[in-house]
Amino acid sequence: MSRPTTRSKNKRHRQVENDDTTTEILRKIHLTGEITDDDVNQLYMITKPVCQGCRVNTKDNPNCFCGLLPPPNGSRKAGLWQKMSDIIQALGPDPCKDLRASAYSPAGLTNLGATCYANSILQCLYMNKSFRQGVFSVEPDVLNRHPVLDQLARLFAQLHASKMAFIDSAPFIKTLELDNGVQQDSHEFLTLLFSLLERCLSDSQVSKARTIVQDLFRGSVSHVTTCSRCGKDSEASSKMEDFYELELNVKGLKTLEESLTDYLSVEELHGDNQYFCESCNIRVDASRSIKLRTLPDVLNFQLKRYDFLQKTTSKKKITSVFSFPGKLDMRGRLSKPSQVELIYDLSAVLIHKGTAANSGHYIAHIKDENTGQWWEFDDEHVSNLGHHPFGEGSSTSNSKSNRSDAVVHSSCTGGDGTANGNHLDPIQLQHEESSVGSHIEMFSSTDAYMLMYNLSSKKNGASTMEIEGDAVFLHDGISLPSHLCEEITNLNSSYVDACEQYKLKEKRELDHITERRQEVRSVLSEAPVHSVEEPFYWISTDWLRQWADNISPPVLDNTSIQCSHGKIPLSKAGSVKRLSAGAWTKLSKYHGGPTFAKGDHCLDCLIDVAHTVVCADSYRDRRKLMKEIAEDVLLAKCEDGAYYISKAWLQQWVKRKNLDAPCEADAGPTMSIRCPHGHLMPEQAAGAKRLLVPEKLWLFFYEDAITVKPDDSSGCSTFPSDSEECPECSNTLSEVACLEDSRREMKLKQRQNHEKLATGKSIPLSSNCKYYLLPSSWLSKWRSYVTASSKHTSFMEPEILDGVINLLKCEKHSRLLERPPKVAYKRGSFFQKGSTTDRLTIITENDWKCFCEEWGGTEENGISAIIELCSSNDLAECCGGMPMCEQPLDLQNEVNNENESRQPVIRTCPEDCLTCS
């Protein structure tokens, strides 16, 4: 059996014991007027032991300094004791984290929302040394005339020599006026960019810059059509067209070689597709193909990954595996044999991640021409992939990394067919007299979107670049022009300065935090006073807590614990702590004050508190006795009543808790039984119920009411038992009572006169009898009025009858404006059909006359109605000249008697006003 928990229970007992001890000391001080040192020590809790084990700082012990510091390995959410990482984070972003890892590491580009397609293309162009050098060689005046070219040169310069790990691409994107939030196709972007750069560079006088786009990326093809009859080519076949990339099919094809073969395949033209040969002058069968005439130094292959679906008019991505070689021999692909080798090295793979054509994410895997290492460019993030385009050790296994699923087939295998720990099957491509060799390294991907190959003969040797201080030293033959070099030097200088400033700021902050924490620990460890005889100083607990929590300590402030006499009152005993002289000396450097030493307790306030406590005890005991008397009054057990008070007020007073002093609710014991004339309100009035209480209870109530509201005499008027009720209020109540009796009799009489109308029952009608029409809204209001039981029903009285009837008539023609109600004839009787929804209700002549007498109506002013039965022939003849509202409203009424061929018709007087209807 577990031991019961007694911690909280004992704590409550100790609190009660302390309160009792304090009360006894204060009673002694009040009686004797003497205050001893022992009294002060107990009242101010000076004698309590130094606390060392509680979790929070207690108010009941001025010697408790627990909870002002977190646990040894703990922290807080804010202030001096929060985690160091949070304090450093509050200093702002660290620019040193954006520092480029080394001079050999490429920089990334910021993604402005959906600009990954542009970032990938720009990185591919920048990593091409020849293109980069061509951009850098453009004259400054040409750059000034073409903002796009100028921003591209600045962007390349920062990628080339900036010390930052990623560059802001916003100026270039903004100059192109691209929408940051719309994903575009990278192939379309490259095509448009080349076109724009060609126009801008045409103004340059530097030859290698003026034609850099054409020299690197432009090749030529011919579309050859050959007649099968005469064997001649068409005239258009001799024309060459420029291309900057070859668009290859991937659907149903597995390798780049198959796609190239498909691209250059011969198409036979038969039947409806026959070709008109100008030499033969007839339509003949022919063959059509694409011939490669010249190839550029940088050969781009655009893989047609998107298939257009005619049914949905949308594009679907083709995610089949596609293989491509690390080296590509294009000499056999030209229309005429080449005398030089055309071996291309894979230099970049543009990858599209995702399944949709207009969304997803673009990244680029690019080979560094200097080192031969591959890098993954994913916007701001640049990762080293080693010497393989998809990372070292890529295999056919399902990889969960962020890289594109790549398959590397290598000839570098061991005897067991393994390479780099991966099981790979080498693919052998046979090319006759190929200088590439019999084994070619192959790569595969399901997301490759564009392939870039560089001509091997154009590859330069390895070179390095170093960034030292403000100067840029290049060893690969590429140098920045002076205007760009100066700009990059200034940017690097400001960036380095920002990093140094941040480091200094961080060091100062951490040093300050460490120093403050040591100071707080030192002061609080020295703060406790272990004996009563030792000198000590009082200090505000709130200030001490702020000083121990805040990074920047406040000025010492003890004003919140000071009384009007300039001392420490007893009421602040729970808001102060005792500090040793040594701890106070350390805190004195925060200036402020005032200083409260050992003997600075306020004796004047202590005497006042003793008097207040004794008075409160006396009042509490007295109020408890009065409450017992009041309960007897409410139970009618008290026979010596002498004064009137409100019964409701007394009931509420008894329910309240026993207090130490009067409160606001104790005012106004006779307010609700005092009339406006200052006399006793008649008990028949609403809320004026009263009770007689004994004289001593009344004097207690009167004393409390005057204490709470000394200026309000109306709430504590005295009404002895022989007080007479106010004659004016009595007469008024009598008149009201008579009026209510009269109204009650009138309502009863009307309910008797109109029994069926009052209960809402339908009235049986007869033909050829005179009836009257009343507005249903007025009748409903009348019914609510005569059946209501409340005394205050004057606002529910219906209007004068003549005025209501006049509203139903047209002023110009004095005819009826409303449609008469519908009448049904069934089993020999007539009934008003839909009486609850009709705007008019049929009443008897007797009811009408009674209503005229009761509600100010004139009999001659009423709207009379007669119900007649008409045969079908008479009805048709009658309806021909009858006003609209007098025609039968329902000719399909069910008739179950011998008169089933006859229908009821209502004739009104006055008749319906056709013009107004």
Side-chain angles (χ1 to χ4, degrees):
M1 182 176 179
S2 61
R3 182 179 179 181
T5 302
T6 59
R7 180 178 180 181
S8 299
K9 186 185 298 183
N10 294 337
K11 186 175 180 180
R12 287 196 298 271
H13 288 172
R14 289 196 299 269
Q15 182 67 35
V16 173
E17 292 173 2
N18 292 338
D19 292 344
D20 292 342
T21 303
T22 301
T23 303
E24 290 301 324
I25 296 174
L26 292 175
R27 285 181 181 274
K28 180 181 74 70
I29 293 174
H30 178 72
L31 293 175
T32 63
E34 297 179 357
I35 303 176
T36 64
D37 291 341
D38 186 60
D39 294 338
V40 173
N41 291 338
Q42 291 193 52
L43 291 174
Y44 283 83
M45 299 172 286
I46 295 174
T47 57
K48 286 194 172 184
V50 176
C51 184
Q52 296 180 351
C54 65
R55 297 179 181 177
V56 295
N57 191 266
T58 176
K59 294 183 178 181
D60 298 333
N61 189 351
N63 301 314
C64 176
F65 295 93
C66 301
L68 295 177
L69 293 178
N73 296 325
S75 62
R76 290 177 177 168
K77 293 183 178 179
L80 180 63
W81 303 99
Q82 61 181 324
K83 295 179 181 179
M84 281 296 189
S85 58
D86 295 337
I87 294 176
I88 294 175
Q89 186 178 4
L91 298 177
D94 184 1
C96 300
K97 294 182 178 179
D98 300 336
L99 183 66
R100 196 182 298 202
S102 69
Y104 308 99
S105 300
L109 290 173
T110 56
N111 191 334
L112 307 178
T115 57
C116 57
Y117 67 94
N119 290 346
S120 300
I121 292 296
L122 290 173
Q123 292 285 16
C124 291
L125 296 179
Y126 166 77
M127 293 295 285
N128 187 291
K129 289 172 52 180
S130 300
F131 184 77
R132 187 196 325 164
Q133 188 172 11
V135 172
F136 287 158
S137 63
V138 179
E139 308 92 309
D141 61 321
V142 176
L143 296 178
N144 293 334
R145 294 200 303 271
H146 300 286
V148 173
L149 192 57
D150 179 57
Q151 289 298 333
L152 181 63
R154 293 173 185 272
L155 183 65
F156 277 12
Q158 293 184 61
L159 289 172
H160 190 69
S162 172
K163 292 189 175 184
M164 297 190 66
F166 54 87
I167 310 301
D168 184 13
S169 61
F172 179 73
I173 298 298
K174 185 177 180 181
T175 305
L176 284 178
E177 299 181 356
L178 297 177
D179 189 346
N180 298 343
V182 178
Q183 178 78 284
Q184 298 187 28
D185 183 77
S186 59
H187 168 239
E188 295 176 0
F189 172 74
L190 178 61
T191 303
L192 295 175
L193 183 60
F194 276 164
S195 177
L196 179 60
L197 292 178
E198 281 187 351
R199 292 198 303 270
C200 296
L201 292 170
S202 63
D203 293 339
S204 175
Q205 300 302 318
V206 181
S207 58
K208 68 176 182 179
R210 184 172 58 253
T211 59
I212 186 65
V213 175
Q214 298 92 319
D215 294 344
L216 289 178
F217 302 99
R218 187 175 67 181
S220 60
V221 296
S222 295
H223 295 272
V224 179
T225 304
T226 303
C227 177
S228 61
R229 182 175 180 180
C230 65
K232 294 183 179 181
D233 296 338
S234 65
E235 293 184 3
S237 300
S238 60
K239 296 179 181 180
M240 290 194 296
E241 299 179 5
D242 296 336
F243 73 88
Y244 292 88
E245 67 280 320
L246 298 178
E247 297 188 29
L248 305 181
N249 291 322
V250 297
K251 187 176 182 180
L253 304 173
K254 297 181 179 180
T255 65
L256 181 62
E257 292 291 341
E258 292 182 8
S259 293
L260 281 171
T261 302
D262 174 75
Y263 181 78
L264 300 174
S265 63
V266 178
E267 178 186 3
E268 299 295 336
L269 303 179
H270 301 289
D272 294 338
N273 293 328
Q274 279 187 326
Y275 158 71
F276 181 81
C277 180
E278 295 181 355
S279 299
C280 301
N281 200 26
I282 57 173
R283 298 183 66 85
V284 295
D285 293 341
S287 62
R288 179 182 296 169
S289 64
I290 297 176
K291 302 292 184 181
L292 290 176
R293 301 301 184 183
T294 61
L295 293 176
D297 291 345
V298 181
L299 185 56
N300 294 336
F301 294 111
Q302 172 62 38
L303 305 182
K304 299 168 71 173
R305 282 281 184 186
Y306 299 113
D307 187 23
F308 182 76
L309 303 178
Q310 294 183 349
K311 291 184 178 180
T312 60
T313 64
S314 60
K315 293 181 180 179
K316 179 182 179 181
K317 184 177 178 180
I318 301 172
T319 57
S320 58
V321 177
F322 189 78
S323 300
F324 45 91
K327 287 184 177 293
L328 181 65
D329 187 358
M330 292 294 292
R331 184 168 53 178
R333 299 291 184 177
L334 287 177
S335 59
K336 295 181 179 180
S338 175
Q339 300 300 321
V340 296
E341 287 187 348
L342 293 177
I343 305 300
Y344 285 85
D345 293 324
L346 181 66
S347 61
V349 181
L350 190 68
I351 296 171
H352 175 267
K353 294 182 177 181
T355 57
N358 298 323
S359 61
H361 183 59
Y362 287 96
I363 63 173
H365 292 188
I366 308 174
K367 184 179 182 180
D368 189 334
E369 297 180 19
N370 296 327
T371 64
Q373 296 221 353
W374 284 84
W375 297 85
E376 180 184 77
F377 294 85
D378 187 357
D379 293 329
E380 297 91 345
H381 307 288
V382 180
S383 307
N384 190 296
L385 300 176
H387 291 278
H388 289 78
F390 296 100
E392 299 285 356
S394 300
S395 68
T396 56
S397 60
N398 292 329
S399 175
K400 293 184 179 180
S401 66
N402 291 330
R403 296 169 182 167
S404 177
D405 294 336
V407 181
V408 179
H409 305 281
S410 175
S411 61
C412 303
T413 61
D416 57 352
T418 62
N420 298 325
N422 296 317
H423 297 276
L424 307 174
D425 296 327
I427 296 180
Q428 184 175 4
L429 301 179
Q430 301 293 338
H431 295 288
E432 293 182 0
E433 298 179 0
S434 173
S435 62
V436 179
S438 59
H439 295 279
I440 298 178
E441 192 174 27
M442 295 291 293
F443 308 99
S444 298
S445 173
T446 58
D447 293 321
Y449 188 60
M450 183 184 293
L451 305 176
M452 286 190 177
Y453 284 84
N454 287 355
L455 191 61
S456 297
S457 60
K458 295 295 181 179
K459 180 178 180 181
N460 297 323
S463 59
T464 60
M465 175 186 71
E466 296 180 2
I467 303 176
E468 298 181 1
D470 295 335
V472 180
F473 300 95
L474 306 174
H475 304 282
D476 57 359
I478 301 178
S479 61
L480 291 177
S482 59
H483 66 284
L484 292 177
C485 185
E486 180 180 359
E487 180 179 340
I488 297 303
T489 301
N490 293 334
L491 288 175
N492 285 338
S493 176
S494 62
Y495 175 67
V496 171
D497 183 63
C499 292
E500 293 298 328
Q501 292 295 330
Y502 183 86
K503 289 179 180 178
L504 291 175
K505 182 180 177 181
E506 181 182 0
K507 184 178 183 302
R508 286 196 300 267
E509 186 70 12
L510 294 180
D511 291 345
H512 176 63
I513 294 295
T514 303
E515 181 182 350
R516 279 281 295 127
R517 289 183 176 181
Q518 291 175 353
E519 178 192 22
V520 172
R521 290 191 180 99
S522 174
V523 171
L524 293 182
S525 64
E526 195 177 347
V529 183
H530 297 280
S531 67
V532 179
E533 292 77 15
E534 291 183 36
F536 65 86
Y537 293 84
W538 295 108
I539 193 167
S540 168
T541 304
D542 290 339
W543 182 88
L544 187 62
R545 183 178 289 108
Q546 292 179 21
W547 171 81
D549 281 345
N550 294 346
I551 297 177
S552 299
V555 176
L556 198 153
D557 184 11
N558 269 343
T559 56
S560 62
I561 61 174
Q562 183 182 21
C563 71
S564 60
H565 308 104
K567 302 289 183 177
I568 303 292
L570 181 61
S571 60
K572 297 297 182 180
S575 303
V576 293
K577 297 296 178 184
R578 293 173 66 222
L579 282 182
S580 65
W584 176 259
T585 302
K586 292 182 178 180
L587 291 179
S588 60
K589 70 177 183 178
Y590 295 106
H591 308 291
T595 302
F596 297 114
K598 179 178 180 180
D600 288 334
H601 44 266
C602 186
L603 299 181
D604 294 333
C605 291
L606 188 55
I607 293 174
D608 291 340
V609 170
H611 175 73
T612 302
V613 169
V614 172
C615 292
D617 290 343
S618 176
Y619 177 83
R620 190 183 300 108
D621 295 340
R622 186 182 175 199
R623 185 169 180 133
K624 183 178 180 181
L625 178 61
M626 294 298 106
K627 189 172 183 179
E628 294 176 357
I629 299 175
E631 290 174 348
D632 290 340
V633 172
L634 291 174
L635 295 174
K637 295 181 180 181
C638 184
E639 299 179 356
D640 56 344
Y643 293 90
Y644 285 115
I645 66 169
S646 169
K647 181 179 180 180
W649 182 92
L650 183 61
Q651 290 173 337
Q652 292 298 323
W653 184 87
V654 169
K655 293 179 181 179
R656 287 197 291 274
K657 295 180 179 180
N658 206 7
L659 305 175
D660 295 339
C663 63
E664 291 287 335
D666 291 333
T670 59
M671 182 179 294
S672 61
I673 64 172
R674 180 181 182 272
C675 75
H677 310 99
H679 303 294
L680 185 63
M681 179 74 76
E683 197 166 10
Q684 294 81 6
K689 297 294 182 181
R690 56 182 183 260
L691 291 173
L692 282 171
V693 298
E695 182 177 4
K696 59 181 179 180
L697 182 58
W698 164 249
L699 292 177
F700 179 79
F701 290 154
Y702 183 83
E703 180 183 345
D704 284 357
I706 295 300
T707 301
V708 174
K709 293 185 178 181
D711 299 330
D712 186 11
S713 59
S714 61
C716 197
S717 300
T718 302
F719 297 113
S721 59
D722 58 350
S723 299
E724 296 183 357
E725 296 179 348
C726 178
E728 295 183 31
C729 293
S730 298
N731 293 335
T732 302
L733 288 174
S734 299
E735 293 175 1
V736 171
C738 293
L739 182 61
E740 287 296 330
D741 291 341
S742 176
R743 184 181 289 112
R744 193 178 299 107
E745 292 178 1
M746 181 266 292
K747 290 181 180 180
L748 177 59
K749 183 178 180 181
Q750 290 194 26
R751 288 199 301 270
Q752 293 173 348
N753 292 340
H754 313 281
E755 181 178 359
K756 290 191 176 181
L757 292 178
T759 57
K761 295 180 179 179
S762 59
I763 301 175
L765 307 175
S766 302
S767 61
N768 298 320
C769 292
K770 191 174 184 180
Y771 297 96
Y772 284 83
L773 301 180
L774 271 182
S776 300
S777 58
W778 184 91
L779 193 60
S780 177
K781 186 180 294 185
W782 169 84
R783 186 180 295 114
S784 299
Y785 175 73
V786 297
T787 56
S789 59
S790 174
K791 296 180 180 179
H792 305 284
T793 56
S794 58
F795 63 94
M796 298 171 56
E797 291 184 0
E799 300 86 351
I800 300 300
L801 203 53
D802 271 347
V804 175
I805 296 299
N806 290 335
L807 292 177
L808 299 177
K809 299 179 181 179
C810 173
E811 295 182 2
K812 185 176 181 181
H813 309 96
S814 297
R815 292 198 172 194
L816 183 61
L817 291 173
E818 298 288 345
R819 286 177 173 268
K822 300 178 181 179
V823 177
Y825 180 67
K826 189 174 182 180
R827 296 183 179 89
S829 300
F830 295 96
F831 296 93
Q832 181 172 346
K833 188 176 182 181
S835 58
T836 58
T837 57
D838 287 336
R839 300 180 66 177
L840 295 177
T841 302
I842 302 173
I843 64 173
T844 64
E845 185 176 8
N846 184 54
D847 286 332
W848 168 252
K849 291 180 179 180
C850 292
F851 277 139
C852 289
E853 294 178 1
E854 297 162 354
W855 296 102
T858 306
E859 294 186 21
E860 294 78 9
N861 193 36
I863 302 173
S864 61
I866 298 177
I867 302 173
E868 297 179 353
L869 273 178
C870 296
S871 63
S872 300
N873 296 332
D874 295 339
L875 187 61
E877 181 180 354
C878 173
C879 292
M882 187 183 300
M884 178 180 61
C885 61
E886 296 180 12
Q887 298 177 14
L889 302 181
D890 189 357
L891 298 181
Q892 304 299 325
N893 288 323
E894 181 182 357
V895 180
N896 297 321
N897 52 25
E898 66 277 9
N899 296 319
E900 60 181 6
S901 62
R902 307 182 70 189
Q903 298 293 335
V905 176
I906 299 179
R907 301 186 184 276
T908 62
C909 181
E911 296 179 348
D912 176 37
C913 184
L914 293 173
T915 305
C916 297
S917 298

